[in-house]
Amino acid sequence: LKQMFAVCQQLGIGKVEDYIHIAYGYMSIKGQGKMSSRLGNVVYIDDLLDEAKNKIKKIMSGARFAKLNRGTDEKIIDKVSEQLGVGAVKYSILKVGRMQDIAFDFDESLSFEGNSGPYLQYAYARAKSVLAKSPDVRSYSTSDVEYIGHVGNLEEEELAILRTLYKFPEVVLSAAQNYAPNLICNYLYDLAQKFNTFYDKLPILNAEKENREVRLKITRASAQVLHNGLYLLGIQTPEKM
């Protein structure tokens, strides 16, 4: 690539210093051994994405997603399976430091628990399901966090999310400067964990009026940041799961 950059400069296309080679480690599929293009035992990305989608679709036919499956058009289920399958593959690659080798594991990457794309997408869908049940909800704005920050007697789970939300711009800037999308992945996983703890431990819609307002704002802010972060990673966010 250094030679190619030098040729580009000689041809007047651009200067050598205008180009950057962003290197990555090798990728293999767990259980399939070492891949070699010379021997022909390679896995094509289209096949990997198709298999991920089909495995997700099988998972979604289970009891956990009975509510989504009930009365839902098959095209919608197929679309959500596509979003989750593609998101799982992308996230499994991007969450690893660029120069680390990757051993892609279907079970780990497609899991709805742990550090995976579907886990983050599910956290987002959870937040959206809460907001859909609240008629007074508006779109997120930074004033939400500022407002909550002035409310006293916040629960530990609420404070944990607030202390994470404000870091998002810094993480995005650092990821861009260092060509390190894994920094955004690490941040989103941390936020999703804290949101799920908040969701499991504290009532939101059934809370008292003041607490309800605060918790809806936290839910709205969490959903928006999860959406924005996944968008930067090229991962779509299903509204319902």
Side-chain angles (χ1 to χ4, degrees):
L1 283 172
K2 287 182 179 178
Q3 291 178 327
M4 188 175 73
F5 297 161
V7 169
C8 287
Q9 179 166 287
Q10 291 174 15
L11 294 174
I13 297 173
K15 297 179 181 179
V16 170
E17 55 267 25
D18 293 338
Y19 301 101
I20 299 171
H21 172 218
I22 301 178
Y24 273 84
Y26 291 99
M27 182 174 177
S28 61
I29 307 297
K30 188 175 180 180
Q32 294 195 18
K34 188 175 181 181
M35 292 187 289
S36 169
S37 58
R38 287 176 297 175
L39 298 177
N41 59 334
V42 296
V43 176
Y44 293 100
I45 188 63
D46 285 342
D47 295 336
L48 184 63
L49 293 175
D50 286 341
E51 188 169 354
K53 175 185 174 180
N54 292 332
K55 286 180 178 291
I56 281 285
K57 204 168 186 178
K58 188 174 181 180
I59 293 171
M60 293 184 66
S61 66
R64 181 172 187 172
F65 297 95
K67 187 175 180 180
L68 175 66
N69 294 328
R70 195 182 303 120
T72 302
D73 189 287
E74 181 65 27
K75 290 182 179 179
I76 295 177
I77 295 176
D78 189 73
K79 180 181 178 181
V80 172
S81 299
E82 173 86 9
Q83 292 172 330
L84 294 176
V86 173
V89 174
K90 284 186 175 182
Y91 186 82
S92 68
I93 296 171
L94 295 175
K95 74 177 183 180
V96 179
R98 283 194 294 106
M99 294 310 297
Q100 290 181 252
D101 291 343
I102 302 167
F104 182 82
D105 184 333
F106 274 109
D107 291 337
E108 178 184 315
S109 300
L110 302 180
S111 173
F112 285 83
E113 305 294 338
N115 192 7
S116 69
Y119 176 77
L120 301 185
Q121 290 166 307
Y122 189 63
Y124 171 78
R126 256 185 161 184
K128 293 296 287 186
S129 70
V130 172
L131 299 175
K133 297 172 185 174
S134 177
D136 56 342
V137 73
R138 308 183 313 277
S139 59
Y140 164 74
S141 70
T142 53
S143 62
D144 285 348
V145 176
E146 294 171 3
Y147 165 81
I148 300 166
H150 290 90
V151 176
N153 301 320
L154 292 173
E155 298 290 344
E156 181 181 341
E157 293 79 11
E158 295 169 321
L159 285 170
I161 293 179
L162 291 176
R163 288 168 178 159
T164 302
L165 287 172
Y166 86 91
K167 298 177 184 177
F168 182 58
E170 300 171 16
V171 172
V172 172
L173 179 61
S174 181
Q177 290 174 334
N178 294 285
Y179 306 101
N182 62 298
L183 298 180
I184 296 177
C185 294
N186 295 339
Y187 170 86
L188 294 178
Y189 178 49
D190 181 47
L191 176 60
Q193 285 182 303
K194 288 173 179 173
F195 174 76
N196 282 330
T197 300
F198 160 81
Y199 178 93
D200 291 335
K201 290 191 174 183
L202 300 176
I204 302 174
L205 294 172
N206 295 326
E208 295 180 5
K209 185 177 180 181
E210 183 176 340
N211 289 335
R212 181 178 185 274
E213 185 177 358
V214 167
R215 290 170 190 172
L216 280 172
K217 288 180 181 291
I218 289 175
T219 300
R220 186 167 60 204
S222 299
Q224 188 65 60
V225 172
L226 283 169
H227 171 81
N228 291 353
L230 289 169
Y231 172 80
L232 291 175
L233 298 175
I235 297 175
Q236 295 181 328
T237 46
E239 298 288 308
K240 295 180 181 181
M241 285 172 60

